[in-house]
Amino acid sequence: MAKLINGTKISNDIKNEIKEEVKELERIKGIKPGLGVILVGENPASKVYVSSKQKGCEEVGFLSDAIKMPETATEAEVLKQIEIYNNRKDIHGILVQLPLPSQIDKIKVLEAISPLKDVDGFHPVNIGKLVAQEDGFVPATPAGIIEMLKREGITIKGRNATMVGHSEIVGKPCALLLLNEWATVTVCHIETRDLKMHTLNAEILVVAVGKPYLIKEDMVKDGVVIIDVGINRITTDKASPELLSWRKSDFDVKGATLIGDVDFQKIEPKASAITPVPGGVGPMTIAMLLKNTLKSAKIFAQLK
Ligand code: NAD
């Protein structure tokens, strides 16, 4: 049986460590880390993400500030709010919740955030630093994946790692981080011709696609370490017996459930370690965002 990698526990450990550091920062420098979030529009998922980020801030003793703008906000109005956060001394991390309404240029907005406060790690300066292996801000989800592997004592160096998915938010930065840790990395995407050939070669398999059970039992080798980033919400209209093979009781209670990109039940006996969905990578993202904000506050306080 595979070792279950408990993201909830690891993220709680990280949050407890952050809490201690926040107390120390306030004691020594009188500084409380501050996160400023800009939310444009009424996207329900975005609202949930923003409120869980704010809750995370409260948990660890950060200042949390949010600017909520209407769906009709102009690009200039959003840029103005970023400028205000860039100049605020009590705000050390800024994030703009994505997606943005179509009248707003995402690239312009992300590039307006000061790279020194870019705790999401999406600014080209921070992406460049990741490539150059310089100290900067790394996107939270891939940073959380590496943190989990390290805290679980899983060797990365020298191993064959396959990254399925090549998004800017997860796949590409995760592939770079694995490479920076000296894994031999293969990146697969929608145009990859023989996905199975690459997943079968993996000693560490990270999957971030958003397709339920894309990865099947015959696509992985014995002893593989599996990190399942996918979050797929299964509602009544999608609830086939196959998809609900291991989350049926949750579905029966709630009328919907979450599953990953990996056929967990069938693959778990073959793997040496695996993350569940939910309770795997998901909780790590907020913990790492908070860690990035703390890092920024420490740099501002000249403690780093
Ligand atoms: P995305 O839609 O931006 O990218 C999907 C990627 O999958 C693309 O690179 C695409 O080329 C690849 N892909 C699509 N079909 C494929 C196939 N058949 N074979 C191989 N590759 C294929 O998605 P994203 O933002 O990277 O998110 C991916 C998943 O991870 C989603 O389910 C999302 O909800 C989840 N996610 C979770 C967290 C978290 O746990 N905190 C954070 C971010 C994203």
Side-chain angles (χ1 to χ4, degrees):
M1 256 187 35
K3 177 172 191 192
L4 206 61
I5 304 177
N6 186 340
T8 307
K9 182 189 175 299
I10 300 172
S11 69
N12 283 335
D13 290 348
I14 294 170
K15 283 194 260 182
N16 285 332
E17 291 160 16
I18 295 174
K19 250 189 239 172
E20 291 309 309
E21 285 208 56
V22 170
K23 283 186 203 148
E24 196 61 7
L25 189 62
E26 278 195 282
R27 195 180 62 78
I28 306 172
K29 293 278 183 178
I31 289 177
K32 194 197 245 296
L35 179 70
V37 182
I38 297 175
L39 172 66
V40 188
E42 300 293 328
N43 181 324
S46 294
K47 283 183 175 175
V48 173
Y49 291 138
V50 167
S51 77
S52 52
K53 284 166 189 173
Q54 288 187 293
K55 193 170 147 264
C57 284
E58 278 162 32
E59 263 179 70
V60 296
F62 285 6
L63 163 80
S64 125
D65 193 83
I67 295 172
K68 295 183 178 152
M69 306 181 75
E71 189 75 34
T72 51
T74 64
E75 191 176 282
E77 284 166 341
V78 176
L79 293 174
K80 178 82 196 132
Q81 294 301 337
I82 292 173
E83 191 55 26
I84 292 170
Y85 274 154
N86 278 343
N87 292 320
R88 266 178 67 170
K89 291 215 165 25
D90 58 342
I91 294 293
H92 306 96
I94 303 170
L95 65 88
V96 176
Q97 187 62 48
L98 301 176
L100 288 166
S102 57
Q103 74 276 15
I104 299 170
D105 182 343
K106 179 180 94 175
I107 293 175
K108 252 195 199 166
V109 164
L110 295 180
E111 291 190 7
I113 297 172
S114 161
L116 300 172
K117 297 189 178 186
D118 169 41
V119 288
D120 256 344
F122 297 156
H123 193 289
V125 166
N126 283 313
I127 297 167
K129 285 188 175 188
L130 176 57
V131 176
Q133 295 198 60
E134 288 177 29
D135 193 25
F137 292 112
V138 175
T141 303
I145 292 168
I146 301 296
E147 188 80 17
M148 278 178 133
L149 291 170
K150 287 188 173 171
R151 287 190 186 226
E152 288 294 315
I154 292 165
T155 305
I156 304 174
K157 191 174 180 174
R159 296 180 93 180
N160 293 336
T162 298
M163 177 72 235
V164 186
H166 79 316
S167 68
E168 270 71 41
I169 297 173
V170 188
K172 281 184 197 165
C174 190
L176 282 165
L177 286 170
L178 289 164
L179 189 60
N180 290 349
E181 295 292 333
W182 294 100
T184 300
V185 183
T186 304
V187 183
C188 303
H189 45 74
I190 186 88
E191 298 293 343
T192 298
R193 258 180 288 141
D194 188 350
L195 182 62
K196 184 174 169 180
M197 178 181 92
H198 299 294
T199 57
L200 266 178
N201 186 44
E203 295 171 282
I204 299 174
L205 177 62
V206 184
V207 191
V209 171
K211 292 190 176 160
Y213 300 163
L214 174 72
I215 307 298
K216 309 249 185 292
E217 173 189 14
D218 64 343
M219 294 171 73
V220 301
K221 68 171 158 199
D222 285 336
V224 64
V225 173
I226 304 256
I227 306 290
D228 189 354
V229 189
I231 301 177
N232 303 293
R233 194 174 149 78
I234 305 303
T235 43
T236 315
D237 52 326
K238 299 179 204 155
S240 66
E242 195 210 355
L243 284 186
L244 285 180
S245 59
W246 89 289
R247 300 279 305 158
K248 186 158 183 339
S249 53
D250 189 62
F251 178 85
D252 287 344
V253 173
K254 298 181 188 154
T257 193
L258 298 181
I259 62 168
D261 288 346
V262 168
D263 190 345
F264 183 92
Q265 252 196 339
K266 301 226 179 74
I267 286 185
E268 188 263 349
K270 287 181 90 173
S272 58
I274 188 165
T275 59
V277 178
V281 177
M284 293 298 292
T285 300
I286 290 183
M288 298 310 285
L289 171 72
L290 298 171
K291 206 170 165 168
N292 276 350
T293 308
L294 173 66
K295 174 177 167 174
S296 175
K298 282 164 77 177
I299 295 170
F300 276 83
Q302 294 181 328
L303 286 175
K304 234 182 153 285

